[in-house]
Amino acid sequence: MEPFEMKFKIYMEAEDIGQSRIHTSIAFLKNCLENSRNSYLHGADYDDASDPDAFILRFYAEKEIREEDCASCQDAFDFVMDLAQILDSAAAAHSFLDLEGEFSWKFRGEDKQYTFRSEGGSDVCDFIEHPAK
């Protein structure tokens, strides 16, 4: 048995942007997660608190998994890099928005925790690794 735990929380925010940018940004993140080759990124919970009429984007995605016996060891092993790649892509494609959140991963004796942030106007996502709790 190989236990596996992961969780992520992603928050996107922008103001004074067009309705099409709001819809495109949300669709981009959802599509990246749902169409990822990594099965652990599929099926996130989404909360869209955006107000397109006020030109405000506020969107949340989160997911948490705890498995006693890992269903896909390769996806578990690749989780950190796959999610980081999606976040980098989102920051590059939608540099006008603020993107931030956290994710963690426990697998094969490793315990990693990260926060990330990309401020509006930046096309890169900064990752900070934190000591395991």
Side-chain angles (χ1 to χ4, degrees):
M1 293 213 341
E2 284 192 275
F4 173 64
E5 292 182 29
M6 66 67 105
K7 69 178 175 180
F8 65 81
K9 295 180 181 184
I10 303 168
Y11 176 63
M12 296 189 319
E13 180 179 46
E15 294 184 6
D16 296 325
I17 62 170
Q19 294 176 355
S20 63
R21 278 190 163 184
I22 292 170
H23 297 297
T24 301
S25 300
I26 292 169
F28 181 88
L29 183 61
K30 280 182 162 180
N31 286 333
C32 285
L33 293 172
E34 296 303 326
N35 295 312
S36 170
R37 65 175 184 78
N38 193 313
S39 61
Y40 289 114
L41 297 174
H42 304 173
D45 293 323
Y46 302 108
D47 182 16
D48 187 356
S50 301
D51 185 350
D53 293 331
F55 308 106
I56 296 172
L57 165 67
R58 287 196 178 91
F59 185 76
Y60 307 88
E62 65 181 346
K63 184 170 184 179
E64 185 170 356
I65 290 179
R66 285 192 170 95
E67 295 178 336
E68 293 296 320
D69 192 19
C70 184
S72 176
C73 289
Q74 187 62 51
D75 284 353
F77 183 77
D78 293 339
F79 168 76
V80 169
M81 290 305 296
D82 289 344
L83 182 56
Q85 198 168 29
I86 287 171
L87 296 168
D88 264 341
S89 295
H94 305 281
S95 61
F96 55 87
L97 59 82
D98 290 327
L99 177 68
E100 63 182 84
E102 60 187 41
F103 58 98
S104 62
W105 171 87
K106 290 181 185 179
F107 186 59
R108 293 184 175 163
E110 291 190 61
D111 186 350
K112 297 188 181 269
Q113 297 179 11
Y114 300 88
T115 54
F116 61 89
R117 182 161 181 76
S118 178
E119 294 187 23
S122 174
D123 62 354
V124 296
C125 197
D126 295 318
F127 298 91
I128 299 171
E129 185 173 354
H130 300 279
K133 292 179 185 175

